[in-house]
Amino acid sequence: MTDTLTILGLESSCDDTAAAIVRATGDEAVILSSVVDGQIDLHADFGGVVPEIAARAHTEKLDLCVDAALEQAGLTLSDIDAIAVTAGPGLIGGVLAGVMLAKGLSAATGKPMIGVNHLAGHALTPRLTEGAGFPYLMLLVSGGHCQFLIAKGADDFERLGGTIDDAPGEAFDKTARLLGLAQPGGPSVEAEAANGDPKRFRLPRPLLDRPDCDMSFSGLKTALLRERDRLIEAQGGITRQDRADLCAGFQSAVADVLAAKTRRALASYLALAPATPMLAVAGGVAANKQVRAALETVCAKAGVTFTAPPLALCTDNAAMIAWAGAELFRLGRQDDLTLAARPRWPLDRGAMPMLGSGKKGAKA
Ligand code: KG4
Ligand code: ZN
């Protein structure tokens, strides 16, 4: 085996069909191509991702994405050293579509196949983009997941805590729906919040009385709903300013909770005495300016480097799966045709399964 690996990655665990080719040489990596075909339009009428529609779309689009990724990279399948595929966690129909295609490609070409945990793909991205050294602290904040992980190795993660109900992105999306704003809710709520007063509605900061790193976001949206209904009852509707103030109050509450729990997670992480301490965030919510600023402040005070991958690599993509596949392949990991698609797959094998965590969304 030469030191250079050219890996094809496949991702289909939620509503993005993606294929990418990454060339890894030692610690260096080049993304030769990264194709993402999103499904927002297909699900727009339903207020959420419809698993059956997602699975069908993945089945139709995956091989086209692979063709496009090969073409953009100027390669053919024979130039690929191994195939990495998201084998979970996620919506089972979509994960199955990817795993079946990977098995077919592997059987037809004789190339090795590596099943990758989607969360590991996100968690290893700072190594792809920044060359981050282990151990680093990772905060995943997306539409379906929210957790703190210490990345100790490509196959070694310690989960410090996470949401016990909704993920923050899910809470942003529900808030947008309650206020009649467009989906995805994060960017709409952020835009409204820019004109709002975050102090007018004091929304709860749940679980801050607990010393752990667990979080809860579902009560926040209920509190917001109550404020909205109170306004409607009192004045027959809500004004533009009311809406902006509600968005600002909500966003501040999310940022405060994430910042406070990041402080706690950093304390556990720093106890490992890392040589170059780093916090990396990934997931769509990491795009939020207030959330980012709050995390940056916490890191600056703790003397920890803050980093966020470029947005296209923060959200779902297949380059992160190809890279994670390369890391695992180097560790000797390889799967055969018995590779299973897994709807749930905790990254931290030592952690107790958490009821409710990440249950309502399949994204990570
Ligand atoms: O990582 P992502 O693209 O997909 C997964 O969930 O895997 O994240 C999408 C989520 C959505 O819930 C969206 O509302 C949220 O990230 N999001 C944001 C922002 N941009 C996207 N949330 C807050 N502020 C934003 N600017
Ligand atoms: Zn994801």
Side-chain angles (χ1 to χ4, degrees):
M1 191 173 75
T2 66
D3 192 35
T4 297
L5 281 173
T6 306
I7 308 260
L8 169 66
L10 305 177
E11 159 61 35
S12 56
S13 63
C14 190
D15 62 350
D16 288 304
T17 314
I21 297 168
V22 170
R23 182 163 286 160
T25 308
D27 285 342
E28 300 288 311
V30 183
I31 299 171
L32 299 181
S33 61
S34 181
V35 176
V36 181
D37 194 344
Q39 304 177 0
I40 286 182
D41 294 348
L42 291 180
H43 305 283
D45 290 343
F46 302 97
V49 178
V50 183
E52 180 65 13
I53 294 176
R56 281 167 194 261
H58 287 307
T59 309
E60 282 167 16
K61 291 174 168 180
L62 256 175
D63 54 345
L64 301 176
C65 287
V66 171
D67 284 347
L70 285 168
E71 196 186 321
Q72 281 178 26
L75 299 177
T76 66
L77 266 185
S78 60
D79 301 312
I80 300 295
D81 295 313
I83 300 152
V85 61
T86 299
L91 297 173
I92 191 65
V95 179
L96 258 175
V99 168
M100 294 307 287
L101 179 61
K103 286 181 181 177
L105 290 173
S106 173
T109 59
K111 312 277 183 188
M113 173 182 62
I114 307 115
V116 172
N117 184 311
H118 177 90
L119 301 172
H122 281 301
L124 293 172
T125 300
R127 291 176 54 73
L128 168 66
T129 56
E130 313 275 326
F134 297 120
Y136 55 89
L137 181 66
M138 189 74 212
L139 170 59
L140 294 181
V141 270
S142 74
H145 284 273
C146 176
Q147 52 187 298
F148 289 103
L149 295 163
I150 300 178
K152 298 177 174 173
D155 202 13
D156 184 5
F157 299 95
E158 181 184 346
R159 187 183 189 283
L160 298 178
T163 184
I164 58 167
D165 42 51
D166 291 354
E170 192 177 2
F172 268 100
D173 294 342
K174 287 179 178 169
T175 293
R177 220 166 288 140
L178 290 176
L179 298 176
L181 298 169
Q183 295 293 324
S188 326
V189 171
E190 181 169 28
E192 287 289 321
N195 306 313
D197 171 8
K199 299 218 165 73
R200 178 170 159 208
F201 300 101
R202 181 73 194 169
L203 298 172
R205 272 82 173 145
L207 302 193
L208 288 197
D209 52 330
R210 273 168 51 167
D212 57 26
C213 296
D214 284 340
M215 292 164 274
S216 163
F217 295 99
S218 72
L220 241 183
K221 123 214 120 204
T222 315
L224 183 126
L225 175 66
R226 226 174 284 125
E227 294 290 356
R228 183 203 70 174
D229 289 348
R230 211 174 41 79
L231 288 170
I232 292 175
E233 206 176 300
Q235 53 191 47
I238 60 170
T239 64
R240 254 206 100 90
Q241 194 57 51
D242 294 335
R243 191 159 76 173
D245 294 344
L246 284 167
C247 286
F250 167 82
Q251 186 173 271
S252 292
V254 172
D256 283 356
V257 170
L258 288 172
K261 294 292 180 167
T262 296
R263 247 174 255 123
R264 286 180 199 164
L266 276 177
S268 304
Y269 163 66
L270 290 173
L272 300 177
T276 47
M278 176 187 275
L279 168 75
V281 281
V285 181
N288 186 281
K289 291 194 194 67
Q290 190 177 353
V291 167
R292 242 179 142 101
L295 298 176
E296 267 166 334
T297 305
V298 171
C299 284
K301 281 195 182 136
V304 170
T305 303
F306 172 85
T307 181
L311 199 57
L313 294 171
C314 247
T315 54
D316 286 352
N317 68 89
M320 68 178 190
I321 303 301
W323 169 254
E327 294 232 49
L328 293 171
F329 191 64
R330 285 202 180 118
L331 293 178
R333 264 275 310 282
Q334 195 175 320
D335 288 289
D336 60 23
L337 296 182
T338 61
L339 174 66
R342 302 174 61 173
R344 308 201 78 188
W345 185 0
L347 251 193
D348 180 343
R349 281 162 294 177
M352 289 289 289
M354 291 249 316
L355 255 190
S357 172
K359 196 172 63 174
K360 295 177 186 166
K363 289 177 152 195

